Amino acid sequence: MLGDRLGSINARPASALVCAALTVGKHAIILATILVYHSTISAKADSCSSIADEIVTDRPDVTNSSIVIPAGSLQIESGVNFSARDRDQVIDGTNTRWRTGIANCLEFLVDTPTYSASVRSPQNSGFSDVAPALKWQISPVPGKVALSAVFGVALPTGTASIAGPGAQPYLQFPWSWELRSGWGLSGMFTEFFRPSDPITRRVTEMTFAIEKRLTERASLFMEYVGDYPEGGSPAELLNSGGLYRLSPNQQLDFHVALGLNHNVPSYIVGVGYSVRFDELFSARRNPSSAPRN
């Protein structure tokens, strides 16, 4: 959720907003289902990314990549955030995600525990949960809208006051659309489920981002992030930042987020580093693809 990736959120009652969010969520699920069905039929013959492609990450924006990493590769994405809310300041890190390509268009990923340290209130510090997931790139057709489906679960391994109670499964649909002149659009729809939470059983998250590629190695983005908890008021952020590829397999990134209401931190600043290792285990390769130098 937005709270896990960028900062903590407190929910407050607002039934009208919740009803609107749930309505949008239902429509998004129907749309995603249609896209999954259509893309599965039309894209069976197409292949996903290979080691000839440059690194594509799930950070620094909240919107995850719709592209699965190459089969046989391991990608490690990490970062550190500093946030402020009222008089409290929090440092959290490392926000690490391990991604492994286990087959063509299919990857296994896991979010490792992140430690959140409150500068002024040490009693509010602790670890997040371990969260494994499977990601399937449904629509790998080049030049068209790319769509993936992710199913994961946050296991109850962290500090309950930080991560929440019990196991928390989620279903996610990130998408992206490459436009002309280096511009691109992307977004993500996610349903988080909290069966052990007596107050908030479900949280719907929606994101939308605009990206501009400045050079072959550098790009900038602007992103809206909204969490709509069941039985609570929304938490909204405006997130922006950029990335620079040191090489086809290495990336530096940064982001700055501003809270749009009182349910999120006033601001968040973060930096990160990602790296991909190719051909770590046997995988079927595209004969026409060759490693990039």
Side-chain angles (χ1 to χ4, degrees):
M1 284 178 291
L2 182 155
D4 299 328
R5 299 286 295 276
L6 295 179
S8 61
I9 299 173
N10 288 332
R12 297 178 182 177
S15 57
L17 290 172
V18 172
C19 291
L22 293 179
T23 300
V24 173
K26 291 178 181 178
H27 291 163
I29 291 176
I30 295 173
L31 176 60
T33 303
I34 295 173
L35 288 173
V36 168
Y37 177 76
H38 178 268
S39 301
T40 303
I41 294 176
S42 62
K44 284 184 178 179
D46 296 278
S47 60
C48 292
S49 61
S50 71
I51 59 175
D53 298 316
E54 62 190 7
I55 185 172
V56 179
T57 63
D58 287 343
R59 57 168 302 117
D61 50 354
V62 175
T63 303
N64 292 334
S65 168
S66 60
I67 307 299
V68 167
I69 69 170
S73 297
L74 170 66
Q75 190 161 298
I76 305 173
E77 307 173 8
S78 296
V80 177
N81 291 326
F82 176 83
S83 61
R85 181 174 182 175
D86 298 327
R87 296 184 179 181
D88 195 17
Q89 298 175 331
V90 176
I91 299 176
D92 59 88
T94 59
N95 302 286
T96 301
R97 170 169 287 187
W98 293 67
R99 303 171 60 189
T100 304
I102 57 178
N104 191 40
C105 302
L106 183 67
E107 74 174 56
F108 172 79
L109 63 91
V110 59
D111 292 321
T112 61
T114 294
Y115 186 76
S116 297
S118 177
V119 176
R120 296 179 179 271
S121 304
Q123 66 272 17
N124 294 330
S125 302
F127 285 97
S128 64
D129 292 337
V130 173
L134 281 175
K135 183 176 184 178
W136 174 41
Q137 188 175 334
I138 302 166
S139 177
V141 182
K144 297 184 179 180
V145 177
L147 174 70
S148 289
V150 184
F151 175 74
V153 57
L155 304 176
T157 57
T159 307
S161 60
I162 300 295
Q168 302 175 33
Y170 69 90
L171 181 62
Q172 191 173 76
F173 294 97
W175 61 270
S176 61
W177 184 17
E178 292 188 10
L179 305 176
R180 297 179 180 180
S181 303
W183 289 93
L185 301 177
S186 61
M188 188 169 67
F189 171 81
T190 310
E191 283 284 355
F192 296 97
F193 303 95
R194 296 175 161 185
S196 299
D197 193 321
I199 300 176
T200 305
R201 295 298 184 92
R202 187 176 66 187
V203 178
T204 300
E205 181 177 88
M206 288 174 283
T207 72
F208 181 78
I210 301 175
E211 181 178 356
K212 170 61 175 176
R213 188 156 189 163
L214 303 178
T215 68
E216 287 298 318
R217 295 192 174 189
S219 63
L220 298 174
F221 74 90
M222 181 75 70
E223 174 189 45
Y224 166 81
V225 185
D227 275 10
Y228 302 88
E230 183 181 42
S233 59
E236 299 172 299
L237 277 174
L238 186 63
N239 189 30
S240 62
L243 59 87
Y244 180 80
R245 294 183 179 88
L246 300 172
S247 71
N249 283 24
Q250 296 183 77
Q251 173 185 295
L252 293 176
D253 64 64
F254 75 95
H255 75 95
V256 178
L258 299 177
L260 299 180
N261 58 22
H262 296 293
N263 294 332
V264 293
S266 302
Y267 68 86
I268 306 167
V269 179
V271 294
Y273 170 76
S274 303
V275 61
R276 192 183 77 199
F277 303 96
D278 294 322
E279 298 182 296
L280 292 184
F281 56 88
S282 178
R284 185 177 179 181
R285 295 178 53 190
N286 187 339
S288 62
S289 299
R292 296 179 61 175
N293 296 325

